[in-house]
């Protein structure tokens, strides 16, 4: 065959056939299940790639909470995946989006029973499990369906507890007995759990004083080696802090504590309990998230000076109370943590009082502060004062996010002033800051 005829020959499949496995695996990684199945029919090499463990270690299974023909195959495909590739799975996230009625929760419960049973038989290496926002206390969950689901989940955790490193059951909304039963499943084969990251925020139903339960404290005493713990403030007690000091002193690094106005939060916690925990866990960082808990007398009972606070978030959304003032909190309480605070988030309606000066002084006092987010009634010049202090080296922010509330619908003048501020400090902003500032009419 001469050179000209060789050039006219169509290219063969050798280019694809010779593609390195690492490149082919990356291509398969971007494909959905159906496209992967179709690609696996091309040749033997591609079929073998379909069963590469790297493609199936991470999985998010989403169940729609509303009846739809489009979502009808979600339940079947979830079970298909577990049967075919479940033994590769290491990280599993399950989402059940806003269940609409009792028939869908029943269908979800039956599917999960089969899925968890199959996965328990085929998998021996699951490291993380996340099932968030089930809200099992809603009326769409019948008692029998709820009990059956909890039974299936508890049996699965009992079997997989020896491998599981991360568990996220945020928003489960269980009773005290149900919640402790589920958590106890993790340590039923041995006297302790190996989970290092545990998220039980909103795990219990609203209004429960979990902190007074000996059963809960016994359950938490089984956790040894926790690195990160996320929970509600209505779970915090002196007994819990003592358990964490004794069983997790060498490992515990982060605590994330949510305090909601509807959860009991007026229990007495001794400062010496926090001091003991901070002393035993030398690198502990505590992060607080307050929702609608804004009054100084309530915050002062919770934010004790012995706590190594890293971040504080205070959110009241659009709620406004003329009898409530943020000034004592900004001037007297939060500066207590100026040596450890690194993140501050404020979202409140302060239409009845100006807080520009108090916020500015707090920011300057927190020398380690690198993240600042404020949604409040502010003067536009507040942003310029922060940027000016940043340029002088008086603060070292990496992120600055400000939403300036105003009572006027027209914001042309404020927008013009913000553009001018950005123009003057553009070099600083572009080089040092994740910067977002806007004006928002609060009508």
């Amino acid at each position: 065959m001469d050179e000209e005829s060789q050039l006219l020959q169509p290219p063969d499949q050798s280019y694809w056939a010779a593609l390195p496995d690492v490149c082919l695996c990356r291509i398969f990684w971007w494909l959905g299940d159906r496209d992967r199945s179709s690609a696996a029919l091309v040749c033997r090499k591609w079929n073998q790639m379909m069963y590469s463990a790297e493609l199936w270690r991470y999985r998010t299974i989403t169940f729609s909470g509303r009846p739809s023909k489009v979502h009808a195959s979600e339940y079947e495909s979830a079970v298909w995946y577990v049967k075919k590739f479940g033994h590769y799975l290491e990280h599993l996230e399950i989402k059940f989006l806003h269940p609409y009625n009792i028939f869908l929760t029943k269908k979800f419960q039956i599917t999960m029973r089969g899925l968890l049973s199959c996965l328990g038989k085929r998998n021996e290496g699951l490291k993380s499990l996340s099932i968030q926002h089930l809200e099992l206390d809603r009326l769409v969950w019948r008692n029998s369906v709820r009990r059956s689901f909890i039974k299936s989940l508890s049996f699965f955790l009992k079997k997989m507890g020896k491998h599981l490193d991360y568990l996220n059951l945020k928003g489960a909304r269980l009773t005290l007995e149900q919640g402790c039963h589920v958590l106890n499943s993790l340590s039923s084969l041995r006297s302790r759990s190996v989970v290092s990251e545990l998220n039980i925020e909103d795990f219990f139903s609203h209004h429960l004083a979990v902190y007074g339960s000996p059963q809960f404290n016994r359950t938490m005493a089984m956790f040894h080696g926790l690195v990160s713990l996320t929970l509600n403030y209505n779970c915090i007690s002196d007994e819990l802090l003592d358990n964490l000091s004794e069983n997790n002193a060498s490992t515990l690094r982060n605590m994330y504590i949510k305090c909601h106005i509807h959860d009991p939060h007026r229990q007495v916690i001794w400062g010496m309990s926090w001091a003991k925990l901070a002393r035993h866990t030398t690198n502990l960082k505590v992060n607080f998230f307050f929702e609608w808990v804004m009054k100084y007398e309530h915050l002062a009972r919770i934010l004790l000076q012995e706590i190594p606070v890293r971040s504080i978030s205070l959110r009241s959304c659009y709620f406004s109370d003329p009898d409530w003032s943020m000034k004592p909190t900004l001037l007297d309480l939060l500066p207590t943590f100026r040596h450890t605070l690194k993140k501050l988030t404020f979202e409140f309606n302060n239409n009845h009082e100006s807080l520009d000066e108090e916020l500015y002084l707090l920011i300057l006092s927190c020398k380690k502060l690198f993240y600042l987010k404020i949604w409040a009634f502010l003067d536009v010049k507040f942003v310029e004062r922060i940027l000016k202090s940043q340029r002088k080296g008086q603060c070292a922010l990496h992120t600055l996010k400000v939403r300036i509330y105003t009572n006027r619908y027209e914001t042309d003048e404020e927008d013009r002033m913000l553009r001018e501020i950005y123009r003057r400090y553009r070099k600083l902003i572009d080089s040092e800051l994740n910067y977002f500032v806007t004006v928002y009419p609060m009508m």
Side-chain angles (χ1 to χ4, degrees), residues 57-102:
R57 288 174 180 165
Y58 294 82
R59 190 72 173 182
T60 297
I61 300 175
T62 303
F63 299 100
S64 174
R66 293 183 175 272
S68 170
K69 293 182 179 180
V70 177
H71 303 295
S73 63
E74 290 175 343
Y75 297 84
E76 290 78 9
S77 63
V79 177
W80 169 84
Y81 162 77
V82 170
K83 288 181 177 179
K84 202 169 185 67
F85 304 105
H87 56 288
Y88 297 126
L89 191 61
E90 295 181 2
H91 307 273
L92 174 61
E93 180 182 16
I94 296 173
K95 297 180 179 179
F96 189 27
L97 305 178
H98 311 297
Y100 179 77
N101 56 38
I102 59 176

Side-chain angles (χ1 to χ4, degrees), residues 262-281:
H262 292 149
D263 289 333
H265 55 270
R266 299 192 183 186
Q267 69 269 36
V268 176
I269 309 295
W270 291 99
M272 64 182 68
S273 298
W274 278 112
K276 178 183 176 181
L277 180 62
R279 186 170 62 252
H280 289 184
T281 56

Side-chain angles (χ1 to χ4, degrees), residues 160-213:
M160 307 301 293
K162 57 184 177 181
H163 306 295
L164 211 56
D165 181 65
Y166 171 89
L167 179 62
N168 187 341
L169 296 175
K170 176 181 178 180
R173 293 297 184 193
L174 298 171
T175 66
L176 188 57
E177 292 74 16
Q178 291 168 343
C180 290
H181 175 69
V182 170
L183 295 178
N184 282 329
S185 303
L186 291 166
S187 56
S188 58
L189 295 180
R190 55 183 76 182
S191 61
R192 61 179 63 184
S193 170
V194 298
V195 170
S196 66
E197 294 186 51
L198 179 65
N199 188 334
I200 52 171
E201 179 185 321
D202 296 334
F203 180 65
F204 297 101
S205 297
H206 278 310
H207 309 295
L208 288 179
V210 184
Y211 59 83
S213 167

Side-chain angles (χ1 to χ4, degrees), residues 339-382:
H339 299 301
T340 59
L341 265 177
K342 294 185 178 181
K343 296 182 66 176
L344 278 173
T345 299
F346 298 122
E347 297 179 25
F348 45 66
N349 184 346
N350 61 310
N351 189 29
H352 56 283
E353 65 175 349
S354 174
L355 298 174
D356 294 52
E357 186 65 22
E358 290 77 12
L359 285 167
Y360 178 70
L361 293 176
L362 175 64
I363 294 165
L364 291 189
S365 69
C366 299
K367 299 301 181 183
K368 294 184 178 181
L369 191 69
F370 69 85
Y371 179 96
L372 178 63
K373 176 182 175 181
I374 304 177
W375 292 6
F377 281 93
L378 299 166
D379 193 293
V380 174
K381 294 180 181 179
F382 172 81

